Amino acid sequence: MSTAKITPSAASFATSIKHLAGIQLPRLQNTIYTSNSTKFRAPRRAFTVSMAASLDTPLEVCVKQSITTPNKLGDCPFTQRVLLTLEEKHLPYDMKFVDLSNKPDWFLKISPEGKVPLIKLDEKWVPDSDVITQALEEKFPEPPLTTPPEKASIGSKIFPKFVAFLKSKDPTDGTEQALLDELTAFNDYLKENGPFINGNEVSAADLSLGPKLYHLEISLGHYKNWSIPDSLSYVKSYMESTFSRESFINTRALKEDVIEGWRPKVMG
């Protein structure tokens, strides 16, 4: 079993520093552990961390392993949602890579359904990204990421419309237009309420939608030579802002993995 231990990034703290009544820590370093116990140290950097992040040990998270590159994160958008939440809350975590094509016995013992993401909280393994992110919000409320209920479902219909269009083999079945309708509605919302779903601050809804839009951009570009129209400028700006956050860069899947991950659905 290979793991990767992650400590929060400097830039991610800067994005929400106003939420922190923090303390200055000495220089820390990221250490990546591979299955053969080789250690790779990232450049040292100093940062400020909230008291909530002062965990004795990193939180353990089971994640999909890359199918193209050893010891790299795989292409699950629901796992990235959890990792983004940890990053934005500045919580250290330890990724345990799982080969979902050949699930090891240790993983099936803690996840009988064999699904990721899975996180260990209070000595219990918790499944499902919805449950996990809610539990993290309750256990580590600073900085707050809760999206107001009336905004929580904004953009939520984009993902199923994207999947339907990606899988479609009939250009006249209306799936492309259905996706465009949802993207247009989201564009109109951002125009009046953006730049993020809850205004100026990133919230849980963005951490859920962002990874899905990342998959949309890569897979539709590869398999259908399709991209979001330039006329939907607020959506494109939203994606650019979300994808450029350091928390997103730290947790995104390789493009090759996204392409290969969707191949069975496209070819099926």
Side-chain angles (χ1 to χ4, degrees):
M1 174 181 64
S2 57
T3 66
K5 295 188 177 181
I6 310 296
T7 54
S9 62
S12 67
F13 289 113
T15 61
S16 57
I17 194 69
K18 69 180 183 179
H19 296 299
L20 305 178
I23 56 174
Q24 184 69 29
L25 292 182
R27 292 177 181 270
L28 298 180
Q29 58 190 3
N30 290 346
T31 304
I32 307 299
Y33 293 82
T34 64
S35 55
N36 60 6
S37 299
T38 303
K39 298 179 182 179
F40 301 92
R41 286 188 169 86
R44 295 183 177 185
R45 45 198 172 181
F47 53 81
T48 301
V49 60
S50 70
M51 292 303 292
S54 303
L55 299 176
D56 291 335
T57 57
L59 295 169
E60 297 179 70
V61 191
C62 293
V63 302
K64 181 181 180 180
Q65 179 174 277
S66 167
I67 59 177
T68 68
T69 308
N71 301 317
K72 289 289 187 180
L73 179 65
D75 62 299
C76 175
F78 305 101
T79 294
Q80 189 185 10
R81 175 191 181 188
V82 170
L83 298 181
L84 281 169
T85 302
L86 293 169
E87 288 269 342
E88 294 288 343
K89 285 188 172 292
H90 326 310
L91 298 167
Y93 55 94
D94 181 1
M95 292 190 295
K96 298 185 178 299
F97 298 121
V98 180
D99 181 354
L100 295 183
S101 66
N102 184 25
K103 298 168 187 174
D105 291 338
W106 67 263
F107 175 64
L108 292 173
K109 287 179 181 178
I110 62 175
S111 178
E113 294 185 355
K115 295 181 179 180
V116 293
L118 197 69
I119 193 170
K120 195 173 188 180
L121 292 174
D122 298 324
E123 299 305 312
K124 295 181 180 179
W125 287 101
V126 180
D128 191 283
S129 63
D130 285 337
V131 177
I132 293 171
T133 52
Q134 180 61 38
L136 289 172
E137 188 65 37
E138 293 173 359
K139 189 173 180 64
F140 307 101
E142 296 295 332
L145 293 174
T146 301
T147 307
E150 66 274 15
K151 300 179 180 180
S153 64
I154 297 296
S156 62
K157 295 180 181 179
I158 293 173
F159 189 65
K161 301 300 183 184
F162 143 62
V163 175
F165 176 43
L166 180 66
K167 294 168 63 177
S168 172
K169 294 178 174 57
D170 180 0
T172 65
D173 64 4
T175 54
E176 178 182 9
Q177 188 58 52
L179 174 59
L180 283 170
D181 289 346
E182 291 300 328
L183 288 170
T184 300
F186 186 50
N187 189 79
D188 293 344
Y189 174 85
L190 291 174
K191 181 179 180 180
E192 299 298 326
N193 303 279
F196 297 106
I197 290 174
N198 194 32
N200 291 325
E201 302 295 334
V202 164
S203 68
D206 302 300
L207 306 187
S208 176
L209 180 59
K212 296 168 183 175
L213 291 175
Y214 179 70
H215 279 240
L216 179 156
E217 180 179 68
I218 294 172
S219 58
L220 288 181
H222 179 80
Y223 289 109
K224 288 186 177 289
N225 194 29
W226 189 93
S227 61
I228 292 175
D230 290 339
S231 59
L232 301 181
S233 58
Y234 290 93
V235 173
K236 300 193 81 167
S237 294
Y238 173 85
M239 292 168 66
E240 182 178 352
S241 297
T242 302
F243 298 170
S244 64
R245 293 179 73 84
E246 188 163 356
S247 60
F248 199 95
I249 293 170
N250 289 344
T251 59
R252 68 189 178 190
L254 298 172
K255 290 185 178 181
E256 296 85 352
D257 274 305
V258 174
I259 290 169
E260 291 306 313
W262 285 103
R263 188 178 298 279
K265 292 187 178 295
V266 175
M267 302 303 178

